[in-house]
Amino acid sequence: MKKTILLGVCFYLALCLCACSEAEAPEPEFVLTYAENQAQNYPTSLGGERFAELVKERTGGKVVVQVKYAGEYGTDEEVVSQMQFGGIDFARISLAVIADEVPILNALQMPFLYQDAAHMWRILDGETGTELLQVFQEAQLIGLSWYDSGARSFYSTKPIRSMEDLKGMSVRVQNSQLAMDMVSLLGAEPVYVDHNDVLYAFETRKITAAENNWPVYQYMDHYQVAKYYTVVEHTRVPDVQIASQRTWEILPEEYRQVILECARESALYQRNLWVRNDIFARAAVIDSGCEIIFLEPEEKLKFRETVQPLYQKYCGDHLDLIKAIQAEAAAPIGTGEGSSAPEP
Ligand code: GCU
């Protein structure tokens, strides 16, 4: 008898517990989608995950963001066009993907524009970066925060020790007119391939080179097929977290504020992760036997000078902005001079 009563009490308590936990998890008011084209353990993906956690926590579970990785929602271009119709709510994309549509954004991704990462962050964290997040509205998008994507360099199946070596190579580029023109000026053939198909394009010899940062080279296994990494650091193309303007308009103001705050916090988290992953990726590819090629200064200068016409073509209407960005470069130690960035 005692045993039956005890069992009954346990059963009742268990029911109460279930009811309580159901009552504690509120029904979300908004379940929103987030597109990320990198694998789940990549720094930008972990940033997206952190963003989703923060939003859930700070809206008391009323706004839930579901992150899909590895291009599950399509290529960056497909994601952007779906966002313009409100089909996807959030994404982390490369600036290169949107700059053809909103040309002033090219001013943040010109070749040899920044002296180093610190210079780029002074711009993105400052007035220019904040103002340029607003112009995404021209493409029916809301710019939320800047993510780190390091510096891009060339990697290839045969060593690139000079500009001459690029001749005759088929170089994978992003879907960006600026990137295509840059590679053409450098004497190679630009080939657009989606980010998630680059390894296959190397394997099938559609391309013989690509250009990207250290983490992509390592995480995406490109180093297995393209054993030579030439440190040109020709561009720093920032990544950006965006929202669909359609979604933004239906969100109550209090949630918009929380989302903005969480996006910025997730960006700080991502930037931190980036620095560590960048070092890790370099070490891993060197360990695996890849050859890392550093250009002689005069050789690097040839790359810089060759791509100068792009400034007039892509930023002809914004040369003042370019000058202002260049003026933020630190003076080289001991010279007492200003920017070492190229003249537009
Ligand atoms: C960067 C960016 C990716 C992008 C990739 C590319 O690494 O973070 O989102 O897809 O460049 O070259 O396609």
Side-chain angles (χ1 to χ4, degrees):
M1 179 65 181
K2 264 190 187 162
K3 213 171 170 188
T4 321
I5 293 175
L6 195 65
L7 271 177
V9 170
C10 289
F11 183 64
Y12 175 75
L13 284 176
L15 272 182
C16 286
L17 267 178
C18 285
C20 284
S21 58
E22 263 170 32
E24 271 165 18
E27 273 292 298
E29 273 174 53
F30 296 94
V31 177
L32 305 170
T33 47
Y34 183 115
E36 167 57 63
N37 79 349
Q38 302 280 7
Q40 197 162 355
N41 58 349
Y42 189 82
T44 53
S45 304
L46 296 172
E49 193 178 298
R50 172 58 68 101
F51 169 68
E53 278 165 14
L54 289 172
V55 170
K56 188 171 177 190
E57 192 183 298
R58 297 198 186 154
T59 59
K62 295 288 188 185
V63 181
V64 171
V65 178
Q66 292 177 339
V67 186
K68 297 282 181 208
Y69 306 95
E72 198 178 319
Y73 283 136
T75 63
D76 275 354
E77 298 72 38
E78 289 163 350
V79 165
V80 165
S81 57
Q82 289 187 66
M83 290 180 82
Q84 290 167 329
F85 295 104
I88 296 174
D89 305 301
F90 297 102
R92 190 284 311 162
I93 59 164
S94 167
L95 186 72
V97 173
I98 195 75
D100 282 341
E101 201 171 330
V102 188
I104 193 175
L105 292 172
N106 280 311
L108 294 177
Q109 58 156 1
M110 293 306 289
F112 302 102
L113 173 66
Y114 304 110
Q115 192 175 44
D116 50 23
H119 178 199
M120 181 187 76
W121 286 114
R122 274 198 296 284
I123 301 302
L124 296 180
D125 287 338
E127 222 172 278
T128 306
T130 310
E131 278 171 19
L132 289 181
L133 279 177
Q134 303 305 317
V135 305
F136 282 80
Q137 289 183 30
E138 289 174 24
Q140 295 84 51
L141 300 167
I142 304 293
L144 300 175
S145 71
W146 299 109
Y147 268 34
D148 204 346
S149 192
R152 298 175 81 95
S153 288
F154 291 99
Y155 46 90
S156 43
T157 52
K158 286 190 190 144
I160 300 171
R161 300 187 199 282
S162 68
M163 243 175 64
E164 276 299 300
D165 294 332
L166 266 169
K167 297 226 158 69
M169 285 199 175
S170 307
V171 182
R172 181 271 168 177
V173 289
Q174 293 177 277
N175 193 3
S176 146
Q177 199 52 51
L178 171 63
M180 296 204 190
D181 281 358
M182 180 186 68
V183 165
S184 300
L185 276 177
L186 292 172
E189 183 209 358
V191 181
Y192 165 62
V193 175
D194 176 56
H195 171 69
N196 281 293
D197 298 329
V198 176
L199 183 61
Y200 183 67
F202 268 119
E203 285 167 349
T204 53
R205 306 213 175 124
K206 183 175 176 181
I207 55 169
T208 47
E211 46 90 55
N212 218 317
N213 53 48
W214 292 98
V216 164
Y217 182 52
Q218 190 259 330
Y219 272 73
M220 299 299 287
D221 282 341
H222 299 170
Y223 73 100
Q224 306 269 15
V225 286
K227 300 262 177 213
Y228 303 93
Y229 192 99
T230 305
V231 187
V232 185
E233 300 194 332
H234 48 277
T235 46
R236 286 183 184 272
V237 180
D239 281 345
V240 61
Q241 255 189 334
I242 51 175
S244 154
Q245 192 165 23
R246 292 249 177 138
T247 306
W248 203 244
E249 279 162 4
I250 55 168
L251 287 171
E253 179 58 22
E254 57 169 319
Y255 291 161
R256 290 189 203 171
Q257 286 314 316
V258 172
I259 288 170
L260 267 176
E261 179 188 297
C262 298
R264 285 175 194 154
E265 260 184 67
S266 79
L268 291 180
Y269 173 77
Q270 187 271 346
R271 279 158 64 173
N272 217 313
L273 277 181
W274 184 267
V275 175
R276 283 189 271 150
N277 277 268
D278 194 73
I279 296 170
F280 168 79
R282 286 173 204 229
V285 299
I286 291 170
D287 241 29
S288 81
C290 290
E291 186 183 343
I292 312 304
I293 301 163
F294 292 92
L295 294 176
E296 293 298 330
E298 57 278 14
E299 199 47 56
K300 189 156 174 181
L301 197 63
K302 275 194 212 156
F303 277 77
R304 289 169 73 127
E305 283 171 352
T306 305
V307 298
Q308 285 315 292
L310 296 173
Y311 277 82
Q312 190 55 44
K313 179 166 178 191
Y314 285 89
C315 295
D317 294 340
H318 308 291
L319 291 177
D320 286 351
L321 176 56
I322 294 291
K323 283 221 162 82
I325 293 175
Q326 291 177 331
E328 287 286 321
I333 297 166
T335 64
E337 286 168 18
S339 160
S340 69
E343 275 293 308

